[in-house]
Amino acid sequence: MKERIYLISLGCAKNLVDSEHMLGILNQRGYSVVSDLEEADLAIVNTCGFIQSAAEEAIETILRVAEKKAAGYLKNLVVAGCLVQRYGLKLRKHIPEVDAWLGPGEIAKIADIADSVTRGQGQEAPIHLGRPLFLADHRTPRLYGTPFYSGYLKIAEGCSHRCSFCTIPSLRGPYRSRKIDSLVMETESMVEGGVKEINLIAQDTTMYGRDLGEGYGLEDLLEEMLRVKHISWIRLLYCHPQGVTDRLLDLLDGDNAVCPYLDVPFQHVNREILRRMGREPARQDPRQLVERIKTRTRNVSLRTTLMVGFPGETQEIFQELCDFVSQGYFDHVGAFVYSPEKGTMAARMKDKVEADVARERLDILMRIQADISLKKNREMIGNVIPVLNEGVHPETDLLLRGRSQRMAPDVDSHVIMNAGEGPIGDIVQVRVTDAHEYDLIGEILQVLLL
Ligand code: SF4
């Protein structure tokens, strides 16, 4: 009987998919997976490290698990992911409880590494830092960490953009698309396994296919996925603003299985800041793109990510960002204070913004969006909408909770259902009866047979 594994996945959904592959590979090798650290023999921490705060969270988590190992609860500890690619060589000297380190390009070796540490190699912990070129396909074993009705489909790895603030290309390598056939096969097996909602992810989903030179792109992938029998919802996340084509918007308009949802991380609206960020503002102004999206037939739910306090952001420029958000284009906004990351171009830029000024700007921006969100939610009262039932609300024990097509998992708000019933993982018809700043309240009318 092989050892029992407990895995902690930090960071974004892209990292979660890596964690799912590691668990699948280990499971295939005979390791069992447990849901409680105290029951495990070997713990794996799959880290994020693309900004300083994520790296700090990862180190705190590693130290917490290392304490458990030192206290005898665990036999082995392995650390994986972006933090290792970025700081692994330095950290190895300071955290001797870790038995092995591996970067994101070494995922395929996880079972060999687990075999080796559980045998006890008795020397300095090895660090596996190959070029980050790992690319899974439909045959790569995977144990889902998401609920049975929802899953992520990572359509590409890496990034070939060069945003001046970002460390991802150096940590994850160049953009590598998966083959379309492989993605369609994985979609089929997800749908057969009961997944109702497939969320497409990559560092930039709109770049999909361009590196393959085979003449297909994201739009072709979507068309192929829509041919899969019994597919319910497909949602697009991480769309670079420069890659949102009219053909893509036609697909959003033309098929109810494609969620009326786009996640477009604009980062900013000011032309000079976007130029400094290396985000090609000359090709299309963000205001023009949101107008193009919002004048479509279907009312697309728009999520964006914005950064405040980037070098050169004056009060006047920040006001331009506030004015952009005040237009009410966005249904969901994730805003962050700029974090200067060592090794990036932006970290060397002049005209830095004081940290307390940047934090204040963040609060102002989020307050603007909170009012918009409440107004948009109130407009929904009385509407009947399909909702993916996620079961009992973890904070109430009584009410049910779910998400509409306009709400992505993990990052957006919910529909809280206080009347009616429906099986978990089914899509139910809900009448919206009330609205909060972020969540909607509603009652289940019936289960939809899709
Ligand atoms: S698109 Fe820009 S911000 Fe996003 S991962 Fe690539 S380099 Fe980083």
Side-chain angles (χ1 to χ4, degrees):
M1 175 75 175
K2 290 258 193 191
E3 280 73 6
R4 290 160 300 180
I5 308 273
Y6 178 78
L7 188 144
I8 300 173
S9 192
L10 301 172
C12 63
K14 290 155 281 188
N15 213 36
L16 174 66
V17 174
D18 288 352
S19 298
E20 293 175 339
H21 283 307
M22 284 197 275
L23 289 179
I25 294 167
L26 288 160
N27 195 238
Q28 194 181 55
R29 185 66 66 90
Y31 289 93
S32 55
V33 179
V34 293
S35 54
D36 187 346
L37 179 60
E38 312 242 319
E39 288 170 16
D41 304 299
L42 164 63
I44 300 173
V45 183
N46 190 20
T47 60
C48 173
F50 89 113
I51 55 171
Q52 215 47 45
S53 58
E56 282 160 19
E57 186 199 353
I59 292 167
E60 276 167 27
T61 308
I62 297 164
L63 292 175
R64 192 163 42 80
V65 180
E67 265 176 35
K68 292 271 178 198
K69 186 184 167 202
Y73 288 102
L74 270 177
K75 289 190 203 139
N76 297 108
L77 169 58
V78 171
V79 178
C82 288
L83 181 84
V84 179
Q85 198 74 20
R86 199 166 175 196
Y87 298 120
L89 287 167
K90 277 190 199 149
L91 287 172
R92 184 162 64 145
K93 298 190 188 96
H94 299 289
I95 317 181
E97 290 87 352
V98 177
D99 299 292
W101 302 80
L102 69 148
E106 305 286 344
I107 285 171
K109 291 185 189 157
I110 184 66
D112 292 341
I113 292 167
D115 284 353
S116 154
V117 300
T118 53
R119 276 198 305 268
Q121 72 266 36
Q123 339 135 347
E124 190 184 21
I127 182 158
H128 304 267
L129 280 183
R131 286 181 67 210
L133 295 177
F134 171 76
L135 185 62
D137 67 19
H138 60 286
R139 292 161 305 190
T140 312
R142 182 174 177 191
L143 272 189
Y144 289 90
T146 46
F148 69 91
Y149 47 80
S150 177
Y152 292 103
L153 185 65
K154 184 152 52 155
I155 63 176
E157 283 287 352
C159 187
S160 296
H161 292 293
R162 287 292 174 268
C163 302
S164 62
F165 54 82
C166 185
T167 55
I168 294 282
S170 64
L171 301 176
R172 293 259 166 187
Y175 197 85
R176 287 121 41 219
S177 301
R178 286 180 53 185
K179 297 277 185 185
I180 202 162
D181 294 350
S182 167
L183 288 166
V184 172
M185 277 189 257
E186 189 164 353
T187 303
E188 284 165 350
S189 92
M190 288 171 89
V191 173
E192 276 162 25
V195 176
K196 291 272 169 46
E197 171 195 52
I198 298 183
N199 297 288
L200 266 52
I201 54 171
Q203 297 301 338
D204 169 11
T205 47
T206 67
M207 272 279 281
Y208 174 73
R210 289 197 223 160
D211 55 309
L212 297 175
E214 293 179 8
Y216 57 73
L218 177 63
E219 299 83 352
D220 304 277
L221 172 64
L222 268 180
E223 281 173 0
E224 290 300 319
M225 288 177 70
L226 286 168
R227 289 199 186 100
V228 172
K229 261 195 193 154
H230 307 304
I231 192 142
S232 298
W233 292 0
I234 306 171
R235 187 193 313 280
L236 283 171
L237 299 172
Y238 305 108
C239 299
H240 194 287
Q242 303 303 340
V244 179
T245 62
D246 284 340
R247 194 174 150 214
L248 188 65
L249 296 179
D250 288 346
L251 278 161
L252 259 81
D253 262 352
D255 198 310
N256 285 337
V258 185
C259 295
Y261 185 101
L262 273 181
D263 165 32
V264 187
F266 283 103
Q267 308 300 354
H268 214 283
V269 68
N270 175 266
R271 211 177 166 80
E272 176 57 16
I273 294 290
L274 287 171
R275 190 193 63 72
R276 287 180 145 222
M277 286 180 168
R279 289 182 64 88
E280 311 169 66
R283 282 177 50 203
Q284 179 165 245
D285 185 276
R287 284 161 281 235
Q288 286 170 345
L289 176 55
V290 285
E291 288 294 341
R292 265 176 63 219
I293 296 168
K294 288 290 178 180
T295 49
R296 285 288 173 148
T297 317
R298 272 174 110 194
N299 176 13
V300 170
S301 174
L302 201 52
R303 158 168 273 275
T304 196
T305 310
L306 300 169
M307 199 183 280
V308 295
F310 192 79
E313 188 189 65
T314 60
Q315 188 53 36
E316 198 185 351
I317 288 175
F318 173 64
Q319 190 54 48
E320 191 182 336
L321 184 62
C322 292
D323 293 345
F324 181 48
V325 172
S326 300
Q327 294 296 315
Y329 295 124
F330 300 111
D331 299 81
H332 311 278
V333 171
F336 302 91
V337 168
Y338 162 70
S339 163
E341 296 303 319
K342 215 170 161 205
T344 60
M345 291 238 304
R348 297 193 296 274
M349 286 179 185
K350 291 191 184 122
D351 306 322
K352 300 217 173 352
V353 176
E354 295 290 330
D356 53 345
V357 173
R359 272 195 299 275
E360 200 181 316
R361 288 180 183 174
L362 180 73
D363 288 346
I364 294 169
L365 203 61
M366 290 318 284
R367 275 204 302 276
I368 294 173
Q369 180 58 27
D371 289 346
I372 290 167
S373 175
L374 180 61
K375 185 166 169 275
K376 281 178 181 283
N377 279 353
R378 283 189 178 145
E379 284 165 7
M380 293 290 292
I381 294 175
N383 287 5
V384 175
I385 52 172
V387 171
L388 180 58
N389 181 11
E390 298 191 293
V392 175
H393 192 308
E395 284 158 29
T396 67
D397 274 359
L398 277 174
L399 307 175
L400 295 176
R401 189 172 89 158
R403 284 177 295 101
S404 75
Q405 284 194 312
R406 306 175 63 80
M407 299 165 168
D410 303 323
V411 285
D412 293 338
S413 46
H414 288 88
V415 180
I416 296 164
M417 297 166 286
N418 56 13
E421 285 179 8
I424 297 177
D426 273 19
I427 295 172
V428 292
Q429 280 284 32
V430 171
R431 187 200 318 278
V432 179
T433 53
D434 202 355
H436 294 174
E437 215 164 74
Y438 292 108
D439 291 333
L440 292 172
I441 312 296
E443 55 191 15
I444 298 177
L445 302 179
Q446 60 170 322
V447 176
L448 285 176
L449 298 171
L450 293 176

